[in-house]
Amino acid sequence: MSSITRRGFVAGGSAALFSAITTRKGFSAGTTERKIQVSPNDSLGTIHPELHGHFAEHLGSCIYGGLWVGLHSPIPNIRGHRKLAVEYLKALGVPVLRWPGGCFADDYHWRDGVGEPDKRPKRVNIHWGGYTEDNSFGTHEFVDLCRLIGAQPYFAGNVGSGSPRELRDWMEYCNYPSGSSLSDERARNGSPEPFRIKYWGVGNELWGCGGNMTPSEYCDYYRQFTTFLPRFGDVPPFFIACGPSKDNADWTNQFFAGMKDRRRQPDGYTMHFYSNGRAPATRFTVEDMNAQFASFRQLETAILHQRGLIDAFDPQGKVGLMVDEWGVWDRMVPEEERERGRLWQQIPIRAGVATALGLNVFHRNASKLVMCNIAQMVNVLDSMLLTEGDKCVRTPSYYAFELAKPHRGKTSIKTEPAQEDPLELSVSASVDGNSLVLTLVNPKHEESIKLQCSVAGKSVASAKARSLYHSDINACNTFESPDAIVPKNVPATAHGAEIAIELPPLSVTTIEATLG
Ligand code: AHR
């Protein structure tokens, strides 16, 4: 049993009651002391691995020059895919990868990207820079990448400038086993086996770049398109409807009002929620950082609110809420975008910490979410990897995902006090049998946190911890110094029902403990 009772924690109320500020030598000038309790029997739902999903768009140098270097590149590659990126992403484990957009999805015509590469048309990417693409990366190449890194493919279909026929044909091409002209064409193009694609997005941001529609207009399109999308082959499709930007209630209410008489509701409904930065990525002040961190409270509120709105139409909870674009979006530097591609930004420790705040939100709300996809995988926005020539650097956000990995498939559990304020300590915890995982984010750049965590009703046999930290909020991994910020082992002690640890300033720490 914990030396501090559950009753004691509940009675205590606010975190402030458990903290005292002292000055000491060590990570920083200040140290806050905190006590929390996790309750292995208080489930908050299963953490679906898909909550750690990713997104790769034809945007800037995410695909061309980033993930895809081409078959004849001097950069080491596997069938055209950048070898180092494949290795890093495979090691990270990518449960699901969304493609080809984003805004790009509603101007993408899948036929452009199949067949002999040198016969594929060159098209102008109208949303992102107006440059041309040769379509050398298409459906087969994307599926090949997913297989190389072990990800489930998620196709975002074209509603805005496409047709129901075009989308149904793409599904048939991908999933029908054999014997139809489209499935036979797939076989001739190198894949006799169907791709068995499960996740199908029905358009992207239809309220904006996907067609500037009203929610009821989109609802009509959704109903029309999905009428012609049966199950081709042995994989039941999972259809994803476009939800709101942030917490827009009107979009959700009107979309579901229009779906009321339909027997088949969407399987997934996705909101987009970016955490905007008011400065260029490496020029943040502490105020800028805190303003961005504060947005993760709004993200949590939006998830709860949107889930509530959907529940009013879907009392059995069959429609899964998703956040298939999220992450930090700082102010772009025009010269960097010109040199490295649209929406290119550095990912300092501050962005990695922000990303971990988002992952903690998703873990705590595991019962309310089925998938989340960080935007984006390489060289765009909150990226996992940055590339330059043959160099490939893992960002602090990559490591935030790596530190979150042990939670996958485990049961999210309750923490008291709840620790949901992104400007204070942020906690997510999960269990599976005797294995307990905690991810602790210290968002303060000048204070370490001495934490005592008790586990209700259990003893802790052992605990080990790794931490990603840097007290300079603008520090980052560069092409010259790629390993400046990597997770390091930090001491964690297990005693009775408690784990004690000191969390460095501006850090993400994961404790893996074995319960007795
Ligand atoms: O991720 C960048 C862009 O942000 C996507 O293309 C779009 O869906 C969103 O507005």
Side-chain angles (χ1 to χ4, degrees):
M1 272 298 287
S2 159
S3 57
I4 299 169
T5 63
R6 180 192 163 105
R7 196 179 150 81
F9 276 99
V10 175
S14 90
L17 279 174
F18 305 109
S19 66
I21 295 179
T22 55
T23 306
R24 57 176 289 284
K25 290 203 176 117
F27 288 122
S28 65
T31 300
T32 306
E33 293 184 0
R34 280 179 187 267
K35 291 181 179 174
I36 58 168
Q37 178 172 258
V38 292
S39 305
N41 294 327
D42 271 336
S43 166
L44 301 175
T46 300
I47 299 176
H48 302 294
E50 290 78 12
L51 301 193
H52 295 182
H54 293 259
F55 168 38
E57 180 167 11
H58 288 233
L59 196 177
S61 52
C62 181
I63 301 287
Y64 294 105
L67 287 161
W68 177 253
V69 294
L71 293 166
H72 310 295
S73 173
I75 297 172
N77 67 85
I78 306 170
R79 298 187 291 279
H81 306 286
R82 183 186 288 269
K83 189 162 179 281
L84 212 43
V86 167
E87 284 167 9
Y88 288 156
L89 294 167
K90 193 173 172 192
L92 183 63
V94 173
V96 59
L97 179 56
R98 178 176 184 247
W99 172 85
C103 294
F104 182 80
D106 284 287
D107 190 42
Y108 182 65
H109 302 281
W110 68 272
R111 277 213 153 278
D112 291 348
V114 297
E116 283 296 312
D118 46 7
K119 296 205 178 97
R120 296 182 193 175
K122 289 193 173 59
R123 301 277 183 221
V124 179
N125 187 328
I126 58 166
H127 287 292
W128 303 114
Y131 54 84
T132 58
E133 294 188 355
D134 65 5
N135 277 300
S136 53
F137 189 92
T139 300
H140 289 252
E141 290 77 17
F142 174 65
V143 171
D144 191 32
L145 172 67
C146 287
R147 288 181 182 158
L148 284 171
I149 63 175
Q152 280 248 37
Y154 162 8
F155 282 21
N158 180 344
V159 170
S161 71
S163 66
R165 176 179 177 170
E166 184 180 3
L167 190 50
R168 64 106 26 236
D169 281 359
W170 201 12
M171 277 187 79
E172 181 181 326
Y173 180 90
C174 290
N175 286 359
Y176 197 66
S178 66
S180 77
S181 297
L182 285 163
S183 60
D184 293 350
E185 185 183 346
R186 181 197 66 236
R188 282 196 303 282
N189 286 337
S191 187
E193 281 297 305
F195 292 140
R196 298 194 170 83
I197 308 297
K198 173 178 172 182
Y199 296 111
W200 292 89
V202 184
N204 169 77
E205 295 194 355
L206 280 300
W207 35 262
C209 62
N212 279 302
M213 299 178 191
T214 65
S216 56
E217 279 166 352
Y218 172 58
C219 185
D220 290 345
Y221 276 100
Y222 181 87
R223 293 159 62 119
Q224 184 196 0
F225 271 62
T226 50
T227 302
F228 302 98
L229 301 177
R231 166 178 167 165
F232 288 105
D234 54 9
V235 175
F238 184 102
F239 293 123
I240 298 155
C242 163
S245 171
K246 296 204 163 156
D247 194 12
N248 183 332
D250 281 352
W251 182 271
T252 298
N253 284 331
Q254 289 184 45
F255 174 78
F256 281 103
M259 289 297 294
K260 233 173 167 176
D261 58 338
R262 282 289 285 236
R263 212 158 37 89
R264 178 143 191 199
Q265 294 293 325
D267 302 291
Y269 179 74
T270 184
M271 59 194 272
H272 287 178
F273 196 108
Y274 283 100
S275 295
N276 296 108
R278 28 187 222 199
T282 53
R283 283 183 251 154
F284 265 51
T285 63
V286 173
E287 290 70 37
D288 297 333
M289 175 175 79
N290 289 341
Q292 188 171 60
F293 286 174
S295 73
F296 288 92
R297 187 74 184 125
Q298 292 152 21
L299 170 62
E300 193 148 17
T301 306
I303 290 168
L304 294 169
H305 184 224
Q306 289 291 323
R307 185 66 259 174
L309 296 176
I310 302 167
D311 286 346
F313 295 95
D314 168 42
Q316 292 174 337
K318 288 191 177 154
V319 180
L321 180 61
M322 302 170 43
V323 188
D324 73 8
E325 287 187 29
W326 71 279
V328 299
W329 186 324
D330 300 333
R331 263 195 26 221
M332 294 301 142
V333 179
E335 304 82 67
E336 282 179 348
E337 280 197 291
R338 267 196 298 278
E339 193 188 332
R340 301 178 182 278
R342 292 296 307 276
L343 303 193
W344 189 95
Q345 60 177 50
Q346 246 298 357
I347 299 297
I349 181 70
R350 176 265 315 156
V353 168
T355 301
L357 288 172
L359 291 169
N360 270 358
V361 167
F362 302 148
H363 297 164
R364 286 198 295 265
N365 293 282
S367 66
K368 303 187 169 54
L369 293 164
V370 297
M371 192 193 290
C372 303
N373 306 69
I374 184 94
Q376 297 193 6
M377 189 172 245
V378 180
N379 290 334
V380 169
L381 298 176
D382 199 348
S383 57
M384 303 296 105
L385 304 175
L386 296 174
T387 67
E388 184 184 77
D390 61 357
K391 298 197 184 101
C392 184
V393 168
R394 285 164 289 187
T395 67
S397 289
Y398 175 99
Y399 292 115
F401 270 76
E402 187 190 278
L403 287 168
K405 198 174 167 185
H407 289 282
R408 291 185 197 167
K410 292 194 170 60
T411 304
S412 177
I413 58 168
K414 201 165 169 187
T415 306
E416 287 175 292
Q419 307 299 342
E420 289 163 355
D421 181 349
L423 299 181
E424 296 292 332
L425 171 68
S426 151
V427 180
S428 71
S430 64
V431 284
D432 182 9
N434 281 344
S435 135
L436 167 73
V437 182
L438 287 156
T439 294
L440 308 146
V441 181
N442 177 5
K444 294 177 187 273
H445 72 297
E446 280 184 327
E447 265 176 35
S448 62
I449 297 176
K450 265 187 157 182
L451 182 76
Q452 252 180 285
C453 172
S454 67
V455 184
K458 303 271 182 193
S459 61
V460 186
S462 64
K464 59 177 185 173
R466 290 169 78 222
S467 189
L468 183 77
Y469 57 92
H470 206 294
S471 56
D472 174 356
I473 68 173
N474 291 313
C476 44
N477 292 336
T478 61
F479 297 109
E480 294 70 40
S481 184
D483 297 324
I485 308 168
V486 295
K488 298 185 181 76
N489 293 334
V490 290
T493 52
H495 183 69
E498 297 203 339
I499 302 167
I501 189 166
E502 182 162 350
L503 308 172
L506 208 57
S507 63
V508 183
T509 305
T510 290
I511 301 177
E512 290 183 76
T514 306
L515 302 176

